[in-house]
Amino acid sequence: PDGRQLIVTVHTLTDRGVWAYDISRGTLTPLARDGEAGGPKWFPDGQRVAFGWLKDGRRSLAVQPADAGGTAPPRVLVAGEFGPMSFTLDGQLAALRGGQDTVLVTFGNGQVGVKPLLDTPNYADSAAFSRDGRRLAYVSRVSGRAEVYVRPYPGPGKAEQVSVEGGSDPAWNPNGRELF
């Protein structure tokens, strides 16, 4: 989040892990190499990284300190096949991809809650919270093809299509007023 490091998945012939790339030094440091880790996403505080993890035949969403250099083991947040998409600025809510579903996970007081993010019969993916957490951009195929929509979060309010002739993977500008 501070622009000094990238968090990446590195694949080798025998390994798939999460690594931190220091932009100014040009160095790679392993974070999560135990089991298979991938699809990393920074927590907004820049101190932790979430990722999908396969360890001992079990899939989960895991978290690891970003400065651990691989010395601290990942910690399971939610059991199941999940991949992080977006966090609210306070890090208390996360939109996760879980198979074909997009779910909302709440973190607080050592408790984790999971529920559907959007109440829609249509496919929804690539969810991204605005910086202030009051808007949610996502991709839906309600029109018959992938388009980007924005709606108030948590609501109420109508979803508004913002893409023209298709769209995918929305990302908010940190200023919160622009969507890429």
Side-chain angles (χ1 to χ4, degrees), residues 25-37:
R25 296 184 327 177
T27 57
L28 273 171
T29 304
L31 293 181
R33 293 179 56 197
D34 187 23
E36 290 185 25

Side-chain angles (χ1 to χ4, degrees), residues 7-9 16 18 36-44 48-54 59-64 75 77-78 80-88 91 93-99 101-105 107 117 125-129 136 169-170:
I7 199 77
V8 298
T9 302
R16 186 179 91 160
V18 172
E36 290 185 25
K41 194 73 142 180
W42 288 103
F43 269 83
R48 300 167 291 161
V49 175
F51 49 88
W53 193 33
L54 174 62
R59 293 191 182 277
S60 62
L61 176 75
V63 65
Q64 185 156 10
R75 182 174 56 90
L77 288 178
V78 181
E81 189 170 352
F82 293 107
M85 289 189 283
S86 181
F87 292 92
T88 55
L93 297 173
L96 307 178
R97 181 178 299 110
D101 298 321
T102 300
V103 298
L104 177 70
V105 176
F107 309 102
L117 178 61
D125 194 19
S126 301
F129 289 106
L136 180 71
D169 302 312

Side-chain angles (χ1 to χ4, degrees), residues 165-179:
E165 297 188 25
S168 65
D169 302 312
W172 291 95
N173 183 321
N175 71 21
R177 295 182 305 271
E178 188 176 23
L179 188 65

Side-chain angles (χ1 to χ4, degrees), residues 57-167:
R58 293 186 193 101
R59 293 191 182 277
S60 62
L61 176 75
V63 65
Q64 185 156 10
D67 63 355
T71 59
R75 182 174 56 90
V76 172
L77 288 178
V78 181
E81 189 170 352
F82 293 107
M85 289 189 283
S86 181
F87 292 92
T88 55
L89 190 58
D90 64 5
Q92 296 298 302
L93 297 173
L96 307 178
R97 181 178 299 110
Q100 293 293 350
D101 298 321
T102 300
V103 298
L104 177 70
V105 176
T106 56
F107 309 102
N109 301 328
Q111 303 282 329
V112 176
V114 180
K115 67 179 185 177
L117 178 61
L118 298 171
D119 185 19
T120 176
N122 300 298
Y123 170 85
D125 194 19
S126 301
F129 289 106
S130 62
R131 187 160 176 83
D132 64 8
R134 296 191 324 220
R135 291 172 289 167
L136 180 71
Y138 61 96
V139 174
S140 178
R141 296 184 185 277
V142 69
S143 70
R145 68 172 165 210
E147 298 283 0
V148 176
Y149 294 82
V150 174
R151 69 183 321 153
Y153 186 83
K158 182 181 167 199
E160 188 175 327
Q161 182 178 328
V162 296
S163 61
V164 178
E165 297 188 25

